[in-house]
């Protein structure tokens, strides 16, 4: 199925464009193209010219014409060929020419000049990068802050789409809960999780999800560290196996850290779990409209320090989730900003033992006027397999 046009989202973007006196946006990052058109590209070459008034233009690889006709929210789709014998330049050069042509009628145009990260295409998870001409031939107005502001607050449709991603991730965890055994390798149980997401999540909810992709880092017992690759190390009985997991469902993401234990959990890990869950639950309670993002960072890190893990964790403890797995807002003491109703935040405290081992918990929370609503049906903490 194709999602109906999300006018609440597009109207918000246009209102912000009015405040910034922008006549149009030109975007090329796959997540921004998806955000403004609902088209999720295969190769990441595609672009969108999005005017404050009038019909957007989707510039789309010719091979994806059927996908664009089925999913895009605009009827103005301009095609380019992957190889064109009349113009054998790389396709991204020809896309730039089409974008310049489509944007020519507009006065003040905003670009993605300070984009820190971008989501990958639908094909191989290999982000495309911008050539210098994209930064010099269309203007010098940076619209990245505007897009970040718009994307930070989710519409009802976006929330529904992210709930589906959360449900797929949870179902894959339930699958792993049934089959995990000591002696399996971390990579084997990770493959089970990823295979379930792709195999069962594609076509999920009566076909609402056309394509689901899963990404994971899985570590067990002493293999638990902050961020290292999944290995062939075995699942350890009595100690947590940590799943750092992401689902992308038709371009919308969830980001979790879940934990399973095969066998009886050891007492040291019971104590570690109790301490970290207290920090986590305090952070969730704090995440209400008007709360300081910088103070959330300080609060979590102070709690982890009090547990005996000073200076931890080495990774961010809260960030937005949406058309990227990691997007603004970020809770950072060097930054500012407040939590607002409509944000979806990944809250993820963790503490790690020198030499290996430790624990992290993470879920996605919809901020409402009443507080933070957990989106995943899978439990937090260490779950008995």
């Amino acid at each position: 199925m194709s999602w109906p046009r999300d006018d609440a989202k597009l109207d918000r973007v246009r209102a912000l464009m009015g405040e910034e006196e922008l006549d149009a946006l030109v975007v090329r990052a796959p997540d921004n193209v998806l955000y403004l058109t609902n088209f999720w590209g295969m190769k990441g070459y595609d672009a969108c010219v999005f005017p404050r008034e009038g019909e957007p233009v989707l510039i789309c690889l010719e091979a994806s014409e059927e996908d664009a006709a089925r999913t895009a929210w605009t009827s103005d789709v301009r095609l380019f060929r992957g190889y064109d014998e009349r113009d054998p330049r790389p396709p991204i050069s020809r896309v730039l020419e089409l974008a310049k042509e489509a944007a020519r009628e507009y006065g003040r145009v905003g670009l993605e000049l300070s984009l820190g990260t971008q989501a990958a295409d639908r094909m191989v998870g290999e982000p495309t990068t911008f050539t210098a001409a994209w930064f010099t031939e269309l203007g010098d107005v940076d619209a990245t802050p505007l897009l970040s502001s718009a994307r930070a607050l989710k519409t009802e449709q976006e929330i529904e789409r992210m709930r589906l991603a959360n449900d797929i991730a949870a179902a894959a965890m339930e699958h792993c809960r049934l089959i995990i055994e000591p002696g399996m390798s971390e990579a084997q149980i990770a493959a089970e999780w990823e295979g379930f997401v792709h195999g069962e999540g594609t076509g999920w909810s009566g076909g609402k999800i056309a394509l689901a992709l899963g990404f994971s880092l899985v570590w067990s017992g002493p293999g638990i560290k902050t961020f290292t690759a999944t290995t062939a190390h075995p699942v350890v009985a009595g100690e947590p196996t940590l799943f750092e997991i992401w689902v992308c469902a038709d371009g919308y993401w969830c980001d979790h850290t879940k934990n399973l234990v095969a066998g009886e959990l050891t007492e040291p890990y019971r104590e570690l779990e109790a301490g970290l869950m207290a920090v986590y639950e305090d952070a969730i309670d704090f995440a209400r409209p008007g709360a300081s993002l910088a103070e959330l960072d300080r609060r979590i890190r102070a709690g982890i320090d009090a547990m005996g893990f000073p200076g931890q964790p080495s990774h961010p403890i809260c960030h937005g989730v949406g058309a990227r797995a990691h997007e603004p807002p970020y809770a950072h003491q060097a930054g500012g900003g407040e939590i607002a109703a409509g944000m979806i935040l990944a809250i993820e405290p963790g503490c790690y033992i020198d030499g290996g081992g430790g624990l992290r918990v993470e879920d996605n929370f919809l901020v409402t006027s009443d507080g933070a609503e957990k989106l995943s049906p899978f439990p937090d903490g260490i779950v008995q397999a």
Side-chain angles (χ1 to χ4, degrees):
M1 65 166 285
S2 179
W3 292 89
R5 190 177 65 197
D6 191 348
D7 286 324
K9 177 168 68 173
L10 303 185
D11 289 347
R12 177 187 298 146
V13 174
R14 289 190 165 112
L16 291 169
M17 291 171 68
E19 293 175 10
E20 298 293 327
E21 298 182 337
L22 288 174
D23 298 310
L25 304 174
V26 177
V27 301
R28 233 216 69 199
D31 45 312
N32 282 328
V33 174
L34 173 84
Y35 185 76
L36 295 174
T37 71
N38 199 48
F39 175 75
W40 187 18
M42 284 294 294
K43 287 290 291 179
Y45 295 151
D46 317 278
C48 172
V49 178
F50 185 85
R52 184 168 19 140
E53 298 179 0
E55 183 83 354
V57 174
L58 172 62
I59 301 166
C60 170
L61 188 66
E62 186 180 73
S64 298
E65 182 178 7
E66 291 183 9
D67 282 344
R70 178 175 54 84
T71 63
W73 291 334
T74 180
S75 59
D76 192 346
V77 179
R78 305 183 188 182
L79 303 174
F80 64 93
R81 299 169 68 181
Y83 169 72
D84 191 333
E85 66 277 11
R86 300 162 300 178
D87 183 357
R89 291 179 301 165
I92 200 62
S93 299
R94 288 180 277 114
V95 172
L96 175 59
E97 294 301 318
L98 290 169
K100 289 165 63 178
E101 178 184 332
R104 185 170 290 120
E105 65 182 279
Y106 301 109
R108 195 161 186 261
V109 175
L111 307 171
E112 303 152 307
L113 295 183
S114 59
L115 195 66
T117 60
Q118 67 179 58
D121 56 64
R122 193 158 43 116
M123 185 173 170
V124 294
E126 182 177 68
T128 55
T129 56
F130 294 78
T131 58
W134 278 87
F135 296 92
T136 59
E137 295 188 18
L138 282 161
D140 60 0
V141 180
D142 186 11
T144 299
L146 181 155
L147 287 161
S148 295
S149 179
R151 287 175 52 167
L153 302 179
K154 303 307 189 275
T155 64
E156 289 302 316
Q157 183 186 116
E158 290 182 289
I159 293 165
E160 180 183 357
R161 295 172 73 159
M162 294 179 70
R163 287 188 193 277
L164 292 171
N166 273 263
D167 288 346
I168 294 167
M173 283 304 305
E174 292 290 358
H175 167 71
C176 290
R177 185 178 185 179
L178 293 174
I179 63 171
I180 191 170
E181 293 181 356
M184 292 179 74
S185 74
E186 295 169 345
Q188 286 172 330
I189 194 63
E192 288 285 346
W193 185 88
E194 291 185 9
F196 186 98
V197 169
H198 190 37
E200 301 299 326
T202 299
W204 188 264
S205 189
K208 279 191 173 182
I209 300 302
L211 176 64
L213 298 172
F215 306 86
S216 70
L217 295 170
V218 176
W219 316 296
S220 190
I224 296 173
K225 297 179 182 178
T226 50
F227 288 100
T228 57
T230 300
T231 70
H233 294 160
V235 168
V236 179
E239 298 188 2
T241 296
L242 184 153
F243 292 70
E244 173 64 53
I245 47 177
W246 303 266
V247 168
C248 184
D250 289 345
Y252 272 86
W253 292 75
C254 67
D255 178 7
H256 301 155
T257 308
K258 302 298 180 183
N259 297 271
L260 297 174
V261 60
E264 193 68 24
L265 186 66
T266 64
E267 188 59 33
Y269 266 110
R270 286 190 188 279
E271 295 176 4
L272 186 62
E273 178 189 26
L276 189 61
M277 288 300 293
V279 172
Y280 182 58
E281 289 163 4
D282 176 76
I284 295 166
D285 186 62
F286 183 80
R288 296 174 177 271
S292 162
L293 284 162
E295 181 57 31
L296 176 61
D297 188 44
R298 281 189 288 267
R299 192 181 189 98
I300 288 177
R301 294 183 187 280
I304 291 172
D305 189 317
M307 290 175 59
F309 296 89
Q312 292 201 29
S314 62
H315 53 76
I317 54 79
C318 178
H319 60 84
V321 188
R324 287 203 308 269
H326 301 82
E327 64 180 37
Y330 292 92
H332 197 291
Q333 292 173 44
E338 293 184 348
I339 296 170
M343 290 179 174
I344 293 182
L345 302 176
I347 298 175
E348 52 176 321
C351 48
Y352 308 95
I353 301 165
D354 288 344
L359 189 62
R360 179 162 70 249
V361 289
E362 179 186 14
D363 211 311
N364 299 162
F365 295 89
L366 170 63
V367 180
T368 73
S369 58
D370 297 324
E373 176 194 346
K374 174 179 154 69
L375 294 186
S376 173
F378 197 81
D380 292 314
I382 302 173
V383 176
Q384 184 73 48

